[in-house]
Amino acid sequence: MKLGDLEVIPVNDGEGKLPSTYLPKVDWERHQDVLDEEGNFDVNLACFLVKSGDRNVLIDAGLGPVTFPPFRAGDLPKNLAANGVSPEDVDLILITHLHLDHIGWLVQDGKPFFPNATIRFGEKDLDQFIRAEKPDDFAKPAVEALDAAGRIQTIDGDGEVAPGISVLNTPGHTLGHVSVVASSGTQRAFMLGDAVTCPVQLEDAEWTAMSDIDPDLAVRSRARLYQELEGAETIAAASHFPELKFGRVLFGEGKRYFQLGRGA
């Protein structure tokens, strides 16, 4: 997908399902079309490749080559290769947050899988995942290996991190969660990470996810995002949306909704 001088390409690592109870506040009576017969909704493990000139920026790094029911993963390297990009070609990786399904490919066999990439994520995620009394079993060894290799630069605040690419702090799902914005002129594409898990949440900022560490803060972050997403030239996608397409947030009949549109 072209965005002015940028190219934004969804590169999936896999897919799975989540139960409707994962979003306990959603009015599922209005969204039965999203659920299967067992009351689950489909999710992807999407990452996004942004090409800017000869620079390759990857947003999130999937779940990796692990078995983690109900998800099937491991597709990121081949999907990057299908777009002409090897692990060595990736210059920068922006991690929206340190949950395992977003950092799975960062380290393999104790070494950085993307040997030339700088890894950036929200500084406050270190407090939650690494510096906590009980560190995260998956994130801690990955971060330690990357830190030992000198690959980490944390993010503290909003702003541009590469030409045409900015981050917006959207904490609540995790303490340091960030969303990513690719922009060219007046065109903007938001990659929301897990600030929004399912498109139905775009109707109501109060519809939290079970894994939001601070639900009230997550609500405030979504409300901020929804203001940013207004506008005819703004499109958005999120890590777990069921189709690898960007869409627009539209308004009608007194409510906000998501309309799928542009794809890879």
Side-chain angles (χ1 to χ4, degrees), residues 45-60:
L45 300 173
C47 311
F48 299 90
L49 175 66
V50 182
K51 292 186 174 185
S52 176
D54 60 356
R55 188 173 177 82
N56 295 306
V57 179
L58 183 64
I59 291 92
D60 284 331

Side-chain angles (χ1 to χ4, degrees), residues 120-142:
R120 305 202 67 184
F121 53 82
E123 169 73 23
K124 290 185 179 179
D125 262 11
L126 290 176
D127 295 333
Q128 178 179 341
F129 291 89
I130 311 302
R131 299 169 180 152
E133 183 176 345
K134 185 179 179 181
D136 184 86
D137 291 339
F138 194 94
K140 187 174 189 293

Side-chain angles (χ1 to χ4, degrees), residues 10 30 59 88 100-101 104 121 125 137 141 151 155 160 167 171 183 205 219 225 227 241 245 253-255:
R30 288 166 35 198
I59 291 92
E88 291 79 11
L100 77 168
D101 56 323
F121 53 82
D125 262 11
D137 291 339
R151 310 312 301 174
I155 298 167
E160 188 174 68
V167 296
S183 60
V219 167
L225 274 174
Q227 291 181 332
F241 281 13
K245 291 182 179 180
E253 299 180 353
K255 66 179 182 180

